[in-house]
Amino acid sequence: MLWSAWTAAAMAAEPVIIHYPAFPQGSETRFQPYLDLLLEAVEHTNAKYGPATLRPSARLMNEARYLQELQQGNLDVIWSSTTEERERQMLAVRIPLDKGLLGYRIALIPADRQTAVAGVRDLAGLRRLRVGQGLGWGDVQLYRYNGIKVTEAGYEQLFSMLDKKRFDLFPRGIGEVFPEFDSRAPIYPGLAVDKTLLLYYPWPYYFFFNREHGAELAKRIEEGLRLMLKDGSYDRFFQQHYGAAIRRAELDNRTLIRLENPMLPKNTPLDDARLWYRPGR
């Protein structure tokens, strides 16, 4: 039962089932924090809306697939970066899931290319390198818009290709790069976390809902997130999931290179006090 039938379930005192996209093994570091945040937002609103249970889809889904499934009414909620097109097609709760942290990128690189990467000081230098990105990822268009060469492949395949030096950089979110490296370094010993660059582009990640049937659930999740912001649990969540990675990144020792995001909706609230800003920015 999808969320559009939530009223009948509530009247019957049964937990409402909220369907979200199942993600492949190996993607836990990317998506589990969003699922944890969703669950906490739901729990913050149980007193008002009644109990709810989160249930993954029967099939594993990449981003392109779950965007489509949500619009077709086969899912209740997804998480994604925002664009003009997505906000027209779907209903966004415009509270960033990670305080905007995903827009700050640190790259996985072949270990023996650290010296070459360290020589990059600006966008012109970055354009001499090639980045790897997943098939269908929105970042692909962004990098190409900024004049950067991109190699696309499946998510897991990217680690193998980088190990074989098929491209130069695999930019990852600050909260993603270290768990991904730690879990895959034994398999790909030629990989390293770059020590010198920090790429930034505005990349707000939101919960999205079906525009026709998802308004009630979107209202509930937004209320839950705002309650978390008010009682401090959102900040505690952020520190629990990302604090160690931010410290490990040693951000003030990196060269910051800014990229433009041509897909960003014009009225996206980027100066919101809830957003995270690195020291010295």
Side-chain angles (χ1 to χ4, degrees):
M1 179 186 68
L2 294 182
W3 183 263
S4 56
W6 74 274
T7 304
M11 291 177 64
E14 298 176 359
V16 172
I17 299 174
I18 301 173
H19 294 83
Y20 67 90
F23 43 85
Q25 185 177 3
S27 295
E28 293 88 351
T29 56
R30 301 170 60 208
F31 296 140
Q32 189 63 47
Y34 306 138
L35 184 57
D36 293 345
L37 183 63
L38 177 64
L39 177 60
E40 194 162 346
V42 167
E43 291 176 345
H44 267 69
T45 56
N46 278 346
K48 180 176 180 179
Y49 291 96
T53 299
L54 304 185
R55 179 175 295 175
S57 57
R59 296 182 178 180
L60 302 178
M61 298 185 184
N62 60 23
E63 185 173 16
R65 175 65 182 274
Y66 66 63
L67 287 165
Q68 182 181 40
E69 292 291 319
L70 180 74
Q71 292 177 67
Q72 292 175 349
N74 299 324
L75 293 171
D76 293 310
V77 59
I78 63 167
W79 40 79
S80 181
S81 57
T82 194
T83 68
E84 291 274 10
E85 181 180 17
R86 288 174 188 171
E87 292 198 22
R88 285 195 303 268
Q89 295 173 338
M90 297 169 286
L91 187 60
V93 169
R94 302 178 87 191
I95 297 175
L97 305 187
D98 53 13
K99 297 192 177 187
L101 183 66
L102 192 60
Y104 291 83
R105 301 296 174 111
I106 291 173
L108 293 170
I109 62 172
D112 61 2
R113 292 191 176 173
Q114 179 62 79
T115 300
V117 174
V120 174
R121 310 301 296 176
D122 52 25
L123 182 56
L126 187 62
R127 286 171 174 158
R128 291 193 288 270
L129 304 178
R130 178 177 289 272
V131 305
Q133 291 288 280
L135 293 168
W137 290 4
D139 315 58
V140 172
Q141 181 180 341
L142 181 147
Y143 283 112
R144 288 177 174 157
Y145 175 85
N146 285 273
I148 299 167
K149 300 181 288 293
V150 180
T151 293
E152 294 182 77
Y155 171 66
E156 284 298 331
Q157 187 181 3
L158 288 165
F159 298 97
S160 173
M161 293 175 66
L162 183 62
D163 188 57
K164 297 173 183 176
K165 304 178 185 178
R166 302 284 178 82
F167 51 89
D168 304 295
L169 304 170
F170 184 16
R172 309 299 297 133
I174 290 174
E176 299 171 325
V177 65
F178 298 111
E180 289 178 342
F181 172 74
D182 292 343
S183 64
R184 291 169 179 84
I187 305 170
Y188 305 112
L191 298 186
V193 177
D194 168 52
K195 299 177 181 179
T196 59
L197 295 181
L198 177 64
L199 309 183
Y200 171 72
Y201 44 91
W203 200 246
Y205 231 67
Y206 297 149
F207 287 129
F208 283 89
F209 304 84
N210 182 278
R211 183 162 285 281
E212 183 178 355
H213 304 294
E216 285 291 340
L217 179 57
K219 179 182 177 184
R220 173 175 182 165
I221 299 306
E222 181 170 0
E223 288 181 14
L225 291 173
R226 293 193 183 282
L227 287 171
M228 292 179 65
L229 287 164
K230 185 177 181 179
D231 68 14
S233 55
Y234 183 82
D235 287 332
R236 290 192 294 272
F237 172 90
F238 181 82
Q239 287 299 325
Q240 175 187 350
H241 284 82
Y242 305 114
I246 292 171
R247 293 188 292 272
R248 185 173 173 182
E250 298 182 336
L251 299 176
D252 287 332
N253 296 328
R254 295 175 177 272
T255 298
L256 179 63
I257 299 177
R258 300 175 184 268
L259 306 178
E260 294 184 41
N261 180 355
M263 300 166 288
L264 195 68
K266 293 180 176 59
N267 58 347
T268 300
L270 294 179
D271 293 326
D272 195 308
R274 295 169 305 204
L275 295 179
W276 173 84
Y277 296 100
R278 80 180 185 95
R281 179 181 169 191

